[in-house]
Amino acid sequence: MVKKSGFVTIFGAPNAGKSTLLNALLNYNLSVVNKKVQTTRDRILGILTEENYQIVFIDTPGILEPKYELQKFMLKEIKSSLEEADLIIHIIDAAKINLDKLKKIDEEFKDQMHNKKRIIVLNKVDLITKSNLLPVMENISENFGYDDTVPVSAAKVENLDTLKNVILKFLPEGEFFFSKDTLTNKPEKFFVSEIIREKILTYYHEEIPYSIIVNVTEFKERSENLIFINADIIVERESQKIIIIGKGGSSLKKLGNKSRLEIEKFLGKKVYLELFVKIRKDWRNNKRFIRDYKSGDAS
Ligand SMILES: Nc1nc2c(ncn2[C@@H]2O[C@H](COP(=O)(O)OP(=O)(O)OP(=O)(O)O)[C@@H](O)[C@H]2O)c(=O)[nH]1
Ligand SMILES: [Mg+2]
């Protein structure tokens, strides 16, 4: 039996639905999704293995113009994910198509995408009518160099089988990269910190979600069904710490409860969660801190 396997990078503007698409293709909530932009910060591998193929999806941060060190790191993650790809899925929000922007992105990343197969996915088709979609699809097919165009709704799981078949058509032949039961490259600890960060995106406003980093400092199975987790929420300023904690600790308590419930669902076990808020001045511009943190060495 011929086996196929390869790396498929999911790439696109913030909020296009990259992480939603990854989760829908895996049928598993791996990567966090939020209505705010810049939800995903690191590349995340999601591995789909069947009898005769293994697709290693890479979810990436939304394309952005970096304004601080953290965003420079995010842009590097995008570029290296494109370079590693056998196949690129460029996903766009079909309800907000901007063909000039699409051209600009093609130009900006042409070095990384050079000679690679590319599929354009028009997502969120549940929000528009067919008569609005068809002319855009035609325009893209005629004027852009994509190898295929697939309209989908990641959120409503529509037309994803077609997308999977198109991916398989372009996937190279080869042995699997990972064992059959591997789902991702990141440890459980990482997803725990992501769940907490997603709750901060949901419950706090303005610059707060963008000024924090979450660091799981302890992750211990105390018994078969109970996990103790400690996590630091690192902010940039005293004023942010006060907001995170809230009056009499009420906001932090709510954050802890909401996070715990979601983490319990993710791990399938009971969780005892403690959150601590710490200040690390201007960490978003601290290259060394970001590098150490991302490699798991930050204290
Ligand atoms: N109506 C509709 N909404 C969708 C669809 N796919 C994603 N969304 C919503 O779009 C928002 C952004 O989705 P994400 O998956 O977080 O987008 P992303 O591209 O990963 O965003 P970043 O990580 O910030 O770059 C969320 O509110 C999703 O629920 C879709 O097919 N239809
Ligand atoms: Mg995302």
Side-chain angles (χ1 to χ4, degrees):
M1 186 177 56
V2 179
K3 282 187 175 170
K4 288 189 151 195
S5 75
F7 285 71
V8 177
T9 294
I10 304 174
F11 158 82
N15 231 29
K18 296 177 290 301
S19 302
T20 308
L21 180 68
L22 174 78
N23 293 343
L25 287 164
L26 295 176
N27 198 14
Y28 185 77
N29 282 340
L30 188 71
S31 191
V32 301
V33 165
N34 195 279
K35 64 178 194 292
K36 289 186 187 146
V37 297
Q38 288 182 39
T39 299
T40 308
R41 282 180 180 170
D42 309 64
R43 84 179 121 169
I44 297 167
L45 264 54
I47 304 161
L48 181 67
T49 307
E50 293 292 347
E51 209 39 45
N52 51 353
Y53 66 82
Q54 182 171 69
I55 310 173
V56 184
F57 290 106
I58 309 179
D59 186 15
T60 61
I63 303 158
L64 45 84
E65 297 236 353
K67 295 202 175 63
Y68 41 84
E69 285 299 329
L70 175 66
Q71 294 184 332
K72 282 188 199 157
F73 167 85
M74 288 159 70
L75 186 62
K76 267 198 214 142
E77 292 277 278
I78 298 173
K79 288 191 169 163
S80 58
S81 304
L82 290 174
E83 280 160 3
E84 277 167 33
D86 293 297
L87 172 64
I88 295 165
I89 293 180
H90 187 161
I91 173 168
I92 59 177
D93 183 337
K96 291 184 190 160
I97 286 182
N98 178 336
L99 295 178
D100 291 336
K101 214 161 140 193
L102 200 57
K103 270 252 144 63
K104 231 178 102 196
I105 292 171
D106 266 8
E107 187 56 34
E108 188 183 344
F109 293 92
K110 70 169 189 291
D111 291 347
Q112 288 81 23
M113 301 199 291
H114 184 64
N115 275 342
K116 305 225 167 176
K117 292 281 178 205
R118 295 187 305 148
I119 303 169
I120 184 138
V121 166
L122 308 181
N123 188 31
K124 310 197 188 184
V125 294
D126 54 295
L127 298 178
I128 58 166
T129 59
K130 254 207 174 97
S131 55
N132 283 334
L133 179 66
L134 291 176
V136 181
M137 278 183 67
E138 256 170 41
N139 190 327
I140 290 178
S141 304
E142 280 167 19
N143 299 309
F144 290 79
Y146 293 101
D147 295 284
D148 219 323
T149 312
V150 187
V152 305
S153 168
K156 299 235 163 15
V157 195
E158 278 170 23
N159 216 27
L160 295 188
D161 284 338
T162 308
L163 175 59
K164 222 178 262 177
N165 287 332
V166 173
I167 294 169
L168 288 173
K169 185 172 79 183
F170 293 121
L171 206 67
E173 286 178 10
E175 289 303 314
F176 292 177
F177 293 93
F178 296 90
S179 68
K180 284 186 171 162
D181 55 2
T182 308
L183 189 64
T184 184
N185 61 328
K186 298 268 190 189
E188 279 179 328
K189 222 169 95 155
F190 169 80
F191 295 99
V192 167
S193 66
E194 286 288 279
I195 290 168
I196 299 167
R197 203 167 56 75
E198 194 278 320
K199 294 296 166 219
I200 294 173
L201 272 157
T202 300
Y203 295 109
Y204 295 87
H205 306 293
E206 288 157 28
E207 101 288 3
I208 293 286
Y210 304 100
S211 312
I212 60 105
I213 203 163
V214 178
N215 192 17
V216 172
T217 53
E218 212 175 310
F219 187 100
K220 275 204 187 117
E221 297 216 38
R222 286 284 164 87
S223 66
E224 201 155 290
N225 200 28
L226 180 67
I227 302 182
F228 268 65
I229 300 173
N230 284 350
D232 288 342
I233 297 167
I234 298 161
V235 298
E236 293 191 311
R237 293 192 300 275
E238 181 68 32
S239 58
Q240 294 166 342
K241 181 173 173 175
I242 292 168
I243 294 171
I244 294 275
I245 293 172
K247 217 172 174 189
S250 58
S251 304
L252 189 64
K253 195 166 165 207
K254 179 176 168 192
L255 173 66
N257 281 330
K258 298 279 182 190
S259 303
R260 181 178 51 78
L261 291 173
E262 188 92 21
I263 295 166
E264 286 180 341
K265 245 198 301 181
F266 181 78
L267 298 173
K269 290 181 180 165
K270 284 269 166 235
V271 164
Y272 180 84
L273 175 68
E274 264 198 278
L275 298 176
F276 303 88
V277 188
K278 295 187 174 161
I279 301 167
R280 182 86 184 217
K281 237 179 137 226
D282 201 26
W283 70 261
R284 278 190 299 182
N285 275 312
N286 187 333
K287 215 169 171 168
R288 200 173 63 96
F289 174 77
I290 292 164
R291 198 192 55 213
D292 290 352
Y293 173 81
K294 293 296 176 190
S295 63
D297 299 337
S299 53

